[in-house]
Amino acid sequence: MSDNGHQQNGHENVPSRQRRRFEGISSRTYEHPADRSALVALRKLSGFDTVFKVLSGLLPERSLRLLFLSDSVRVSDAQFAHLNTMLRDACHILDLEKVPPMYVTQDPQPNAMCIGLDEPIIVVTTGLVELLDEEEMRAVVGHEVGHALSGHAVYRTILLFLTNLALRVAWIPLGNIAIMAIVTALREWFRKSELSADRAGLLVGQDLKASMRGLMKLAGGNHLHEMNVDAFLEQAEEYEAGGDLRDSVLKILNTLPRTHPFTTVRAAELKKWAESRDYQRIMDGHYPRRTEDKETSVSDSFRQSAASYATDVKNSKDPLMKLVSDIAGGAGDLGGRVRRGFGGFAGGTPKDQTAPEDRTSPKDQPPRDSTPEDDD
């Protein structure tokens, strides 16, 4: 499709270029395996829609919609027209028929989200709008439309609700523990869903450099002349491989309360996906269609998810993950060494029947003399 550049509200003019449209694309195309397996399983549950319709009456979704409607600016042809054009463009490329409403809310913190149970709504902050250029913002809008297409908005809303609930019942020990266990699991899923949405943003913008610039700006602000993509990606590699087991534990503790992966990690993951054969096949027009979603196997999705985690552990440079991988890879040999070392005890062989070589003194040391010097 043709994407005509324009200049509005201080945004620089961008050149026209051709971008591929993905007709009938399934969200499974870009979803991270761990994200995809959870979504496939939930979609297969009977009564899934009914449960969430009931939940929608309990969650403050109507309140959120009224809040944004009354105290934010709704994107349209009359307001933030350049964002409205990007939104419709993203929905066209990902073939999302119903364009979700989008709001700009006053907040200096750069952020964007897609929430809602009945219908998704997209919210971006003024801090984000002012930070990013046209192409970087296009990737962000595509990111949020990817959330909408995957149905992430439903689970994001539930996560927000449960997080608030956990704060309210913090004084109840067992109640808080139970809710926080669910919240922790949801956060792990949501971190993977963010990687999925980053991929959707790349499919919409089809400009890896713009996606990288946007992530760098989220980390370091609007100082591109002071930043370098290669150096930024080196940070991700240093973060993963650096330190010892203590640092590995600290990484886990730092990650648990977050809903988003660290920015350098997101950049490295997106670049790796953009250079993969899967991405090239998608760009060549070979991708799953929505019409095939009902035929998707839950067990196959979970196997793919497990394989993805196993590959991550195997290829990881993190000290703890390397230890786990070494133990898993050498488990058979370790067992053999244990059997060889304790075979005599396992077979019930008496101690005095042990082979002579097993009874030699350590290092074949000579007999000790009973002299005072031996006690030094």
Side-chain angles (χ1 to χ4, degrees):
M1 62 166 288
S2 177
D3 173 28
N4 295 318
H6 56 278
Q7 185 171 5
Q8 292 187 31
N9 299 338
H11 286 70
E12 65 182 35
N13 189 43
V14 294
S16 299
R17 59 188 176 84
Q18 295 292 323
R19 284 176 296 136
R20 174 176 289 280
R21 179 175 186 245
F22 305 100
E23 187 174 357
I25 189 172
S26 168
S27 60
R28 292 181 291 114
T29 302
Y30 57 81
E31 285 165 354
H32 185 280
D35 173 27
R36 187 192 312 134
S37 63
L39 293 174
V40 168
L42 286 171
R43 289 165 187 156
K44 292 283 186 179
L45 288 177
S46 58
F48 174 79
D49 293 337
T50 304
V51 170
F52 281 102
K53 282 180 181 178
V54 173
L55 275 177
S56 66
L58 303 175
L59 303 183
E61 182 181 6
R62 287 182 178 272
S63 175
L64 286 173
R65 290 179 183 277
L66 289 172
L67 178 63
F68 290 124
L69 186 63
S70 63
D71 204 31
S72 301
V73 176
R74 183 163 57 191
V75 170
S76 66
D77 288 332
Q79 301 184 117
F80 289 99
H82 72 287
L83 292 180
N84 194 44
T85 299
M86 278 189 236
L87 176 61
R88 289 189 308 219
D89 176 70
C91 292
H92 178 72
I93 287 180
L94 293 181
D95 200 14
L96 184 64
E97 287 187 16
K98 189 169 184 179
V99 179
M102 183 175 179
Y103 294 89
V104 176
T105 187
Q106 173 61 34
D107 187 343
Q109 183 72 25
N111 197 12
M113 59 180 173
C114 181
I115 58 174
L117 289 174
D118 292 330
E119 294 180 1
I121 58 175
I122 295 173
V123 182
V124 297
T125 65
T126 52
L128 188 69
V129 175
E130 292 163 4
L131 177 66
L132 304 182
D133 69 20
E134 196 86 12
E135 290 298 286
E136 295 157 7
M137 193 68 197
R138 189 186 305 281
V140 169
V141 173
H143 175 111
E144 300 305 326
V145 170
H147 276 315
L149 181 58
S150 287
H152 291 155
V154 172
Y155 316 111
R156 173 65 180 266
T157 306
I158 293 172
L159 178 57
L160 288 172
F161 172 74
L162 289 176
T163 302
N164 291 333
L165 181 61
L167 293 175
R168 293 178 185 178
V169 300
W171 59 277
I172 307 176
L174 293 179
N176 185 51
I177 291 173
I179 293 175
M180 286 310 299
I182 299 172
V183 168
T184 300
L186 277 173
R187 282 176 178 160
E188 165 60 14
W189 160 77
F190 200 80
R191 286 190 290 271
K192 295 300 185 288
S193 77
E194 285 300 311
L195 299 179
S196 300
D198 283 344
R199 297 175 179 182
L202 180 59
L203 291 178
V204 168
Q206 297 173 28
D207 184 344
L208 180 61
K209 291 181 179 179
S211 295
M212 292 288 111
R213 291 199 311 268
L215 288 169
M216 282 198 304
K217 283 185 175 181
L218 289 177
N222 193 14
H223 303 281
L224 279 178
H225 62 288
E226 299 285 355
M227 294 186 279
N228 178 276
V229 172
D230 292 334
F232 189 65
L233 292 172
E234 285 175 6
Q235 287 182 229
E237 187 171 350
E238 182 180 344
Y239 169 78
E240 182 185 4
D244 53 24
L245 292 178
R246 292 169 299 179
D247 296 296
S248 298
V249 174
L250 290 174
K251 291 177 194 176
I252 294 172
L253 294 177
N254 288 337
T255 302
L256 283 177
R258 295 176 61 92
T259 56
H260 288 58
F262 292 110
T263 317
T264 56
V265 175
R266 290 172 63 181
E269 286 286 338
L270 185 60
K271 185 174 185 292
K272 182 169 66 176
W273 187 70
E275 294 173 347
S276 69
R277 185 170 177 270
D278 288 341
Y279 177 73
Q280 189 55 56
R281 283 180 55 81
I282 296 168
M283 296 306 296
D284 290 339
H286 305 292
Y287 53 84
R289 264 61 174 183
R290 266 170 249 164
T291 53
E292 305 164 355
D293 283 350
K294 292 182 178 179
E295 302 171 4
T296 306
S297 167
V298 176
S299 58
D300 286 346
S301 298
F302 275 109
R303 276 195 292 270
Q304 291 171 8
S305 176
S308 174
Y309 274 114
T311 301
D312 288 346
V313 170
K314 182 179 179 181
N315 297 332
S316 176
K317 298 177 182 179
D318 179 81
L320 179 59
M321 292 300 101
K322 286 182 68 176
L323 176 62
V324 171
S325 180
D326 289 344
I327 291 173
D333 183 55
L334 179 62
R337 291 198 299 269
V338 170
R339 285 192 297 273
R340 288 193 297 273
F342 296 92
F345 296 100
T349 306
K351 202 169 186 178
D352 59 347
Q353 293 181 10
T354 307
E357 60 268 24
D358 292 330
R359 291 185 289 133
T360 55
S361 300
K363 307 286 186 185
D364 293 327
Q365 294 178 357
R368 293 164 58 91
D369 295 329
S370 297
T371 60
E373 288 80 8
D374 288 332
D375 297 329
D376 293 340

